[in-house]
Amino acid sequence: MKTNDAFVAFGELLLRLSAPGHENLLQSPSLKIFIGGAEANVAVSLAQMGHQTRFASVIPANHLGRGARNELRRYGVDTRFVQEGEGRMGLYFLTPGAIRRSPDVLYDRAGSAIAVAAPDAIHWAPVFEGAGWFHVSGITAAVGQNSADAAIRAVKAAKAAGLTVSFDCNYRQKLWEAWNGDGPAILRQLLAEADVLFGDHRDIALILGMRFAEDPEIARRAAAETVFQHFPNIKRMACTYRVQHSVDHHDMTGYMFSPEGAWTTASLPLTPIIDRIGGGDAFAAGIVHGLMKDWSGQRTVDYGVAAAGLKHAD
């Protein structure tokens, strides 16, 4: 695609409410508020990298929804295709974790605006005009049946319009279980339309009902070969691997595969970690940026990991 073609993302805008510092939720009577969402994070990152970006979504017709939309606009994202509708603002609560205590996420997204919106609420022809890339994640599909159907409609419309489609598996078991959604079946439909996949052997094992070797290095390569065999449209698969020494000390390595080859980065030490939420989205944005620029595979995956590393410092 041309680098001046717009990038389009579709997903739910969320409010994240986090305990301060490394505290448990409600340990202190205060919460920090952040605005985000997987696809929105990618759009913001790419806007900061100099790309034209658009975001499509449905938000509640209140100050929370409009405030979240305006936050994207502040970073240069085109929000003309963020519609207002019925329903509420999606929330999630984060316990950051500390030392050996793992982070924890509590979702509060039932009945959100994007979950109750009709699957055909967004008319994709004007959204895709002048665009060259479309991005969505499995989180959007996991919110509910309507948003799952909307995501499937969106990727099919994007392919029909000639856009490159990227898909981030982002498997969220808690969200699928909340409405007894058949995650693997729905995600397979999204994978069938993708050109670029963000996911690793654990995602592929869940989606295809397979098992891979216990050795992560062997498993990643086997998963990539399986993806290219089952989904011939996919030309790139990218993922990261973390070694977690503690909550605020990780080592990250990036991987990218194609049917013709594979690229691996050096291990990047991340310490002290300020905030890891959105690190995977920053990695995805870096990979998309490199592919849009037609960089080499090695330069692209190196850039993706560098972008992810910077996000951990925010």
Side-chain angles (χ1 to χ4, degrees):
M1 78 179 267
K2 300 183 181 68
T3 57
N4 59 348
D5 288 342
F7 170 92
V8 178
F10 169 59
E12 181 173 30
L13 275 175
L14 293 162
L15 295 184
R16 169 183 137 201
L17 294 93
S18 298
H22 295 288
E23 295 181 4
N24 284 303
L25 283 174
L26 304 184
Q27 184 174 333
S28 297
S30 63
L31 294 169
K32 297 189 296 182
I33 300 175
F34 300 85
I35 293 166
E39 297 89 349
N41 293 339
V42 178
V44 167
S45 292
L46 282 167
Q48 298 304 291
M49 294 173 191
H51 297 276
Q52 298 180 50
T53 64
R54 300 172 188 164
F55 190 68
S57 188
V58 182
I59 58 172
N62 58 35
H63 290 299
L64 294 178
R66 292 164 189 154
R69 178 189 61 198
N70 292 342
E71 183 71 1
L72 295 193
R73 186 181 298 156
R74 185 168 75 90
Y75 284 100
V77 178
D78 183 347
T79 60
R80 289 175 295 156
F81 304 104
V82 177
Q83 303 180 10
E84 295 184 1
E86 297 180 358
R88 53 179 287 259
M89 194 75 191
L91 310 174
Y92 73 101
F93 297 83
L94 174 69
T95 301
I99 309 176
R100 297 290 178 177
R101 172 167 56 80
S102 299
D104 184 64
V105 170
L106 174 65
Y107 292 114
D108 182 18
R109 301 169 72 167
S112 66
I114 202 168
V116 302
D120 60 355
I122 297 174
H123 302 288
W124 291 105
V127 180
F128 291 150
E129 185 176 353
W133 196 294
F134 177 72
H135 180 75
V136 71
S137 86
I139 297 179
T140 296
V143 172
Q145 188 65 62
N146 281 10
S147 60
D149 291 342
I152 292 168
R153 285 173 177 262
V155 294
K156 289 181 179 295
K159 289 298 288 186
L163 277 69
T164 298
V165 174
S166 57
F167 173 69
D168 193 332
C169 293
N170 271 338
Y171 198 93
R172 297 292 186 269
Q173 188 67 31
K174 291 180 182 179
L175 291 177
W176 290 109
E177 289 176 348
W179 58 284
N180 294 318
D182 189 346
I186 291 170
L187 296 184
R188 284 195 295 270
Q189 294 183 65
L190 295 169
L191 276 172
E193 306 296 333
D195 301 287
V196 176
L197 169 66
F198 296 102
D200 63 14
H201 56 285
R202 295 166 296 182
D203 298 304
I204 304 308
L206 285 166
I207 293 169
L208 296 182
M210 302 178 66
R211 296 187 66 179
F212 296 105
E214 291 186 9
D215 185 322
E217 193 76 26
I218 297 173
R220 275 188 294 271
R221 292 182 179 274
E225 292 173 2
T226 300
V227 162
F228 298 135
Q229 178 182 355
H230 283 76
F231 303 99
N233 284 338
I234 295 177
K235 302 299 186 291
R236 293 287 189 277
M237 171 178 157
C239 63
T240 60
Y241 177 70
R242 294 173 182 268
V243 175
Q244 301 188 29
H245 305 287
S246 68
V247 166
D248 63 356
H249 180 192
H250 297 179
D251 295 328
M252 176 184 286
T253 306
Y255 298 84
M256 188 167 71
F257 303 90
S258 77
E260 296 79 30
W263 303 269
T264 305
T265 72
S267 178
L268 177 68
L270 303 173
T271 184
I273 294 173
I274 306 303
D275 187 352
R276 66 166 287 183
I277 300 295
D281 303 324
F283 174 74
I287 295 293
V288 171
H289 176 76
L291 294 176
M292 291 171 73
K293 292 287 189 180
D294 199 27
W295 286 351
S296 69
Q298 190 62 55
R299 184 181 181 187
T300 296
V301 73
D302 284 342
Y303 188 87
V305 166
L310 285 173
K311 173 60 192 72
H312 285 69
D314 289 344

